[in-house]
Amino acid sequence: MTVLALETSCDDTCAAVLDGDGRALSNVISSQLAHGAFGGVVPEIASRHHLEHVNAIVEQALSEAGVGLEDIELLAATRGPGLIGALLVGLSTAKGLAAARELPFAAVDHLQGHVAANFLRGPEPDEGPFEPPFLCLIASGGHTLLARVEAHEGFEILGRTLDDAAGEAFDKGARMLGLGFPGGPALERLAEQGDPAAFSFPGSPGELRRGAPRKPFADGLDFSFAGLKTALLYATRELTAEQLAERSADLAASYQAAIVESLISRTERALQRTGLERLAIGGGVAANGPLRRRVAELDAEVHIPGRLLCTDNAAMIASAARYAPRLPYPEYLGMDAYATGEAPG
Ligand code: KG4
Ligand code: ZN
């Protein structure tokens, strides 16, 4: 079944075409740069950008895939969670395209999409898919969780962040260090020149070296990044502007190492507790080089999707759509988006 999917839950306008074997024929991503000036995503700007670009992005996804709308057999879009105005643009466009040809429609949960990036087949005949059961670490701008994936259709949450998401920690840390938005890639670049053990942050190598307890709390599978963020704030306040400029790479490296350690320690623990021997990752933070290297070293059969399949994209939504319930025309026409939580009944 050839699938056309749209993803507009945040600030990227994305469309992709998937063939019947779960191979991406195209995966178009239009990133919005306008938010940089505001230091974060502005919902109204995001919605307007989606509205202005979505038709061209769909056209591009079809043409790069070498297919026409008449070849599409299933339409799909992210229904939530995300920015409601942004979601509505992709959802309404996909529903409209489906309705025009009386095609079935599949609504996809964004987090299920990040998991389903692992179900995609690569361009080579023997590449993927990575099949359940596996443990999945999802770390994005809005979510951080460990999931037990037993089937293609869903997952069970084993642990999640109690406060900020890992991506949010990257973005806010980058802001404190005077870097642009989105902060993750900028902070990673700066950290390359720094010493990860230079500063002592909760969970960082600097702290470990001095024999401090390895984990901020006991032995759960939940995450917390708020304390770490505050620790970075205090560290920057203790420095003069000149010192801050001098030490910013060390701060970035130590801060990044602490985020990565926090993700890795709980993932390792979840592998031990569940007895799962296979591990996959997803979400924008899974594009982070040091995290990818640490994950690859874990004692498990590891699947690490390409960077463009970790950050928001529509191929992962099309992949999830292959296993999601399909609504026949016209049952989906009244379907609404949702901003938080799970799809309403
Ligand atoms: O999955 P995603 O594209 O969108 C959401 O669903 O939130 O994740 C975006 C997040 C942002 O916080 C961004 O800073 C972070 O992923 N991110 C990274 C990297 N690339 C993106 N964080 C660390 N290192 C990166 N290379
Ligand atoms: Zn995402």
Side-chain angles (χ1 to χ4, degrees):
M1 179 159 262
T2 310
V3 189
L4 169 62
L6 272 71
E7 148 65 43
T8 62
S9 65
C10 192
D11 58 340
D12 296 320
T13 316
C14 315
V17 177
L18 220 62
D19 71 10
D21 293 330
R23 198 172 273 116
L25 300 178
S26 64
N27 190 19
V28 181
I29 301 162
S30 162
S31 297
Q32 305 182 8
L33 303 174
H35 302 282
F38 302 94
V41 175
V42 184
E44 286 76 13
I45 295 181
S47 313
R48 196 170 327 140
H49 181 281
H50 288 312
L51 208 51
E52 285 167 4
H53 294 85
V54 72
N55 289 336
I57 296 298
V58 167
E59 289 287 326
Q60 193 181 333
L62 289 169
S63 98
E64 283 185 17
V67 300
L69 209 48
E70 64 283 1
D71 300 310
I72 301 300
E73 296 163 290
L74 174 68
L75 263 296
T78 309
R79 189 179 175 196
L83 301 171
I84 204 77
L87 284 163
L88 278 173
V89 177
L91 184 64
S92 312
T93 305
K95 285 196 299 181
L97 289 168
R101 293 194 43 246
E102 303 193 1
L103 289 173
F105 178 81
V108 173
D109 174 86
H110 184 77
L111 294 175
Q112 181 64 36
H114 279 304
V115 172
N118 292 283
F119 305 151
L120 287 164
R121 248 178 237 280
E124 303 302 325
D126 58 344
E127 254 183 84
F130 195 65
E131 300 282 3
F134 57 77
L135 177 75
C136 194
L137 169 69
I138 300 293
S140 71
H143 299 87
T144 301
L145 54 95
L146 278 163
R148 181 203 294 269
V149 182
E150 296 277 2
H152 292 105
E153 292 81 8
F155 55 82
E156 179 200 348
I157 296 179
L158 304 174
R160 61 185 353 148
T161 183
L162 303 172
D163 40 58
D164 294 345
E168 211 174 335
F170 267 104
D171 293 335
K172 289 181 178 163
R175 202 167 169 176
M176 285 180 225
L177 297 173
L179 305 172
F181 181 86
L187 198 140
E188 182 183 346
R189 272 195 304 278
L190 178 61
E192 277 163 21
Q193 275 109 56
D195 173 7
F199 283 86
S200 172
F201 290 128
S204 73
E207 189 192 60
L208 294 180
R209 212 179 35 196
R210 277 191 296 279
R214 186 175 156 91
K215 282 105 196 175
F217 22 64
D219 60 353
L221 296 178
D222 288 331
F223 303 88
S224 168
F225 297 100
L228 177 60
K229 197 177 65 186
T230 309
L232 177 64
L233 180 67
Y234 287 156
T236 58
R237 279 189 186 161
E238 279 171 16
L239 302 175
T240 63
E242 201 173 302
Q243 287 169 329
L244 185 58
E246 241 169 58
R247 306 291 315 272
S248 65
D250 283 343
L251 282 168
S254 303
Y255 184 71
Q256 173 177 257
I259 297 175
V260 170
E261 269 320 298
S262 166
L263 295 171
I264 289 292
S265 63
R266 283 156 186 81
T267 303
E268 214 167 11
R269 195 180 294 155
L271 281 170
Q272 285 159 4
R273 290 224 182 128
T274 58
L276 287 166
E277 290 170 348
R278 291 146 54 74
L279 169 69
I281 58 172
V285 177
N288 181 265
L291 176 65
R292 294 166 78 86
R293 284 194 286 280
R294 291 283 280 118
V295 165
E297 289 162 8
L298 288 175
D299 186 20
E301 186 190 337
V302 173
H303 186 254
I304 302 177
R307 283 189 167 78
L308 284 182
L309 294 174
C310 290
T311 48
D312 286 350
N313 67 89
M316 69 183 198
I317 302 302
S319 177
R322 298 177 74 219
Y323 307 99
R326 283 163 206 176
L327 287 179
Y329 173 81
E331 284 179 24
Y332 47 81
L333 286 181
M335 183 191 281
D336 229 338
Y338 57 96
T340 54
E342 292 174 11

